[in-house]
Amino acid sequence: MQLTGSQIVIECLKEQGVDTVFGYPGGAILNIYDELYRHQDEIRHVLTSHEQGASHAADGYARSTGKVGVCMATSGPGATNLVTGIATAYMDSVPIVAITCNVGISLLGKDSFQEIDIAGVTTPITKYSFIVKDVKDLAPTLRRAFEIAKTGRPGPVLVDIVKNATSDVAEYEKEIPKLIPRMTEKIDETAIDEAIKILRKSEKPMVLVGGGAVIADADKELADFVKKVDAPVTDTLMGKGAFDGNDEYYVGMLGMHGTKTANLSVSECDALVVVGSRFSDRVAADTKSFAKNAKIIQIDIDEAEINKNVEVDLSIIGDIKSVLDIFNSRLEQLYHKEWLNKVLARKDALPLNYHHDVLTGPYVVEKLYEVTKGDAIIATEVGQHQMWAAQYYKYKKPHTLITSGGLGTMGYGLGAAIGAKAGNPDKTVVNIAGDGCFRMNMNEIATAVRENIPVIEIIFNNSVLGMVRQWQTLFYGERYSHTVLDNNVDYVKLAEAMGAKGYRITKQEEVEPVLKEAIASGKPVVIECIIQSDDKVFPMVAPGKGLDEVFDEKDLEK
């Protein structure tokens, strides 16, 4: 049948099972929005307050559902406002398709009003960037975009469409999307046999879980593997939920703000199985001394990650779920009682700790875990609050922590929470923010209210840029250059002005009742928690130091 380009865009979205898109209209993309109006009973459009909010919402939707997230923007500044969100998704391997429209082909390359080469701009931060100049290429390109976003290591794809291609007519025939097979053809079963030999000889094995295990939905296979190897488990920020945070084998997060138990044990272990982690600097710290006593076995879907940051002894390329399946079918039950007992005793002796006599971020996160029974989806911004959310909320399942790990994007969490709630309407969705991050994209509270998306925003208000101030305190001689935010903003009134419910908490006993009331309200809620300016995240590994040099507040006092 003959359809306009705009009709083809909508039909292709329907082919892919897209039920929600996030975006902001403008002149160049108006034809698509006009067509979207006619299909609003099939595809929900969430109008964000800013295009960056749309890209973060598509990201949060994708991370929490496992589907491809979709965002839209017009040409020029509309398109460039998506860039930070696209880069965030790229760094964390999140499948999104960003659809932008450009000026008509006769105006292309002439510095026309609101013209930008967005495909060129985003080439380094996408798996692929397309520009569609002919309506005949539109359907194949969109189908290819979704396929690329989902295949292998997922990631963002941009499709830029010149305006005349949205109004021109072409033949369209519906296609059923191809099933994306798990990447198994590269799995070297000889390498798996070699890895099993290493594990059989090992007396002190450990398992490090990264974001790849979450993406692969390999939680069941991972749990079976851990029990077979009989090894303690640590994870990265991005790996949260792939292994149950309540499991007795779990010893906490690894890295700059990882637990002492995890950091010291990885430094001591003699075999380390790394499941879907790229050894970022915040995880591995000093890469030369990382797991210096261990044979390192790296399992990853992306061959480019092998030996990129840390030299490993053995690598296995392929879908993590499939690789672990093979391990579990071949590996007999191993026993490491003495090592396991040592690590778990260390875990008991070196717990996470904070000041219990005042209102703190960790106290609020622990209460949030109790009230939600660990069943909420937690989004975060970036900074101290992000680390407290990672340390003190126990993630039981994949896709329940939505956070910017690779790019560290302040202003990410609120948009991402809106996307996660849109994709999971029956789940409690909470975004944990600092006052600095909240000010970045707080206008998306208006989006939550207008679109009736009941997210809960918790702001830890310490009147400073907390994580930067922590570094200034520890490493910059307490020179607090431009990190003080003491500007008397009333966040409760701000929330109410945008139509949300606002609360202010100053005492521990207020936390639980406010959280319960917020969850029961079914409305967008902002909860401001007043905490001290010099609260810090511990433990910590100083930049450039090894994991075995981890320290906490008591060590500083000594």
Side-chain angles (χ1 to χ4, degrees):
M1 71 181 98
Q2 293 281 309
L3 297 180
T4 66
S6 297
Q7 291 172 322
I8 289 171
V9 169
I10 301 304
E11 292 303 320
C12 285
L13 293 180
K14 287 159 60 178
E15 279 181 9
Q16 299 293 331
V18 174
D19 54 22
T20 308
V21 298
F22 307 87
Y24 204 96
I29 201 169
L30 210 49
N31 289 333
I32 291 177
Y33 268 81
D34 190 49
E35 193 60 34
L36 197 57
Y37 179 85
R38 297 182 172 93
H39 293 267
Q40 55 190 298
D41 57 334
E42 298 169 281
I43 299 175
R44 179 187 187 184
H45 179 273
V46 175
L47 175 64
T48 54
S49 299
H50 189 282
E51 290 92 351
Q52 186 181 140
S55 58
H56 293 327
D59 177 305
Y61 176 95
R63 293 193 205 218
S64 62
T65 64
K67 303 176 185 177
V68 177
V70 179
C71 56
M72 291 182 174
T74 195
S75 62
T80 57
N81 282 343
L82 296 177
V83 167
T84 298
I86 292 170
T88 301
Y90 183 73
M91 290 289 282
D92 289 344
S93 305
V94 181
I96 68 171
V97 171
I99 298 172
T100 58
C101 284
N102 217 319
V103 298
I105 196 163
S106 62
L107 297 174
L108 213 56
K110 297 181 179 179
D111 293 332
S112 303
F113 178 67
Q114 291 192 334
E115 181 197 357
I116 195 79
D117 177 13
I118 192 61
V121 168
T122 58
T123 293
I125 54 168
T126 54
K127 288 186 74 176
Y128 207 94
S129 290
F130 295 95
I131 180 165
V132 180
K133 299 179 181 179
D134 189 326
V135 68
K136 296 185 185 70
D137 299 326
L138 192 47
T141 301
L142 285 167
R143 289 165 184 153
R144 182 73 179 128
F146 278 86
E147 184 180 352
I148 291 171
K150 293 184 286 186
T151 301
R153 181 178 184 170
V157 178
L158 178 121
V159 180
D160 190 37
I161 310 166
V162 298
K163 186 170 183 178
N164 53 279
T166 66
S167 57
D168 293 345
V169 173
E171 186 67 24
Y172 166 81
E173 188 173 336
K174 183 177 180 180
E175 286 188 12
I176 297 173
K178 293 187 289 186
L179 287 175
I180 307 296
R182 291 190 174 274
M183 192 178 125
T184 56
E185 71 277 3
K186 286 189 177 181
I187 296 175
D188 184 349
E189 300 200 19
T190 304
I192 293 178
D193 290 337
E194 288 299 312
I196 289 172
K197 288 178 185 177
I198 292 172
L199 292 172
R200 284 173 179 158
K201 291 179 182 178
S202 169
E203 295 179 357
K204 300 176 181 180
M206 281 198 74
V207 178
L208 169 59
V209 181
V214 173
I215 294 167
D217 286 312
D219 47 319
K220 181 185 181 302
E221 292 77 12
L222 179 62
D224 292 344
F225 175 75
V226 166
K227 295 303 187 289
K228 275 205 166 188
V229 178
D230 199 34
V233 179
T234 180
D235 56 16
T236 69
L237 177 68
M238 301 310 301
K240 292 281 172 193
F243 189 79
D244 187 347
N246 288 300
D247 193 284
E248 61 176 333
Y249 283 64
Y250 180 66
V251 298
M253 185 170 67
L254 187 72
M256 180 172 280
H257 293 293
T259 64
K260 278 192 165 185
T261 301
N263 286 347
L264 295 174
S265 299
V266 163
S267 299
E268 186 182 346
C269 73
D270 64 8
L272 181 64
V273 182
V274 182
V275 185
S277 173
R278 59 189 173 85
F279 302 108
S280 81
D281 54 306
R282 291 298 170 98
V283 170
D286 175 23
T287 55
K288 292 179 182 177
S289 66
F290 177 77
K292 56 184 177 291
N293 298 306
K295 293 275 190 183
I296 302 176
I297 302 164
Q298 185 178 3
I299 306 170
D300 206 287
I301 200 167
D302 187 356
E303 196 168 357
E305 293 298 339
I306 305 302
N307 296 322
K308 185 173 83 174
N309 294 322
V310 170
E311 290 285 329
V312 301
D313 297 276
L314 190 65
S315 61
I316 302 163
I317 309 300
D319 170 67
I320 287 169
K321 191 181 186 81
S322 304
V323 171
L324 291 177
D325 257 336
I326 298 171
F327 265 111
N328 292 336
S329 67
R330 295 188 185 180
L331 184 63
E332 72 277 13
Q333 180 63 54
L334 303 178
Y335 298 97
H336 302 100
K337 185 177 180 180
E338 185 178 345
W339 166 243
L340 200 59
N341 287 344
K342 179 180 181 179
V343 174
L344 296 182
R346 180 181 277 160
K347 177 182 171 181
D348 291 336
L350 301 171
L352 291 168
N353 200 14
Y354 61 88
H355 295 286
H356 289 266
D357 53 341
V358 293
L359 183 66
T360 64
Y363 179 86
V364 175
V365 174
E366 284 192 330
K367 279 297 174 187
L368 178 64
Y369 177 77
E370 289 176 22
V371 170
T372 61
K373 299 181 173 60
D375 292 327
I377 294 174
I378 305 298
T380 81
E381 305 291 346
V382 173
Q384 289 180 317
H385 59 276
Q386 179 188 33
M387 294 298 102
W388 290 326
Q391 291 174 329
Y392 291 95
Y393 199 95
K394 297 179 178 68
Y395 300 91
K396 301 184 289 186
K397 296 177 181 178
H399 310 291
T400 52
L401 175 62
I402 312 297
T403 191
S404 173
L407 197 63
T409 306
M410 293 176 69
Y412 164 82
L414 180 51
I418 288 170
K421 183 66 176 177
N424 302 268
D426 298 329
K427 282 280 191 181
T428 297
V429 178
V430 181
N431 183 48
I432 298 176
D435 49 327
C437 286
F438 181 64
R439 299 193 323 172
M440 291 265 183
N441 279 331
M442 62 187 175
N443 48 0
E444 298 305 337
I445 290 293
T447 300
V449 172
R450 181 179 59 250
E451 299 284 343
N452 192 26
I453 299 175
V455 295
I456 297 170
E457 176 84 359
I458 296 177
I459 306 168
F460 292 146
N461 186 359
N462 56 7
S463 297
V464 296
L465 297 177
M467 187 61 87
V468 185
R469 182 183 177 89
Q470 177 167 331
W471 280 50
Q472 288 173 329
T473 301
L474 296 175
F475 311 122
Y476 288 85
E478 299 184 8
R479 294 182 295 278
Y480 300 120
S481 178
H482 304 287
T483 50
V484 177
L485 305 176
D486 191 8
N487 50 11
N488 299 315
V489 175
D490 188 326
Y491 292 109
V492 173
K493 286 183 179 178
L494 194 64
E496 292 172 347
M498 289 190 280
K501 178 69 176 172
Y503 296 89
R504 180 174 295 111
I505 292 174
T506 59
K507 296 180 290 187
Q508 289 182 345
E509 54 266 31
E510 296 170 336
V511 174
E512 186 172 333
V514 168
L515 288 175
K516 288 180 175 177
E517 190 172 326
I519 292 168
S521 73
K523 296 178 180 179
V525 174
V526 175
I527 303 171
E528 180 188 23
C529 302
I530 308 298
I531 65 172
Q532 296 181 351
S533 295
D534 281 310
D535 283 358
K536 293 180 177 62
V537 179
F538 289 114
M540 185 175 187
V541 177
K545 301 296 183 180
L547 293 179
D548 56 357
E549 297 180 76
V550 60
F551 65 90
D552 58 19
E553 196 167 22
K554 290 181 180 178
D555 297 318
L556 283 181
E557 290 170 0
K558 292 174 185 176

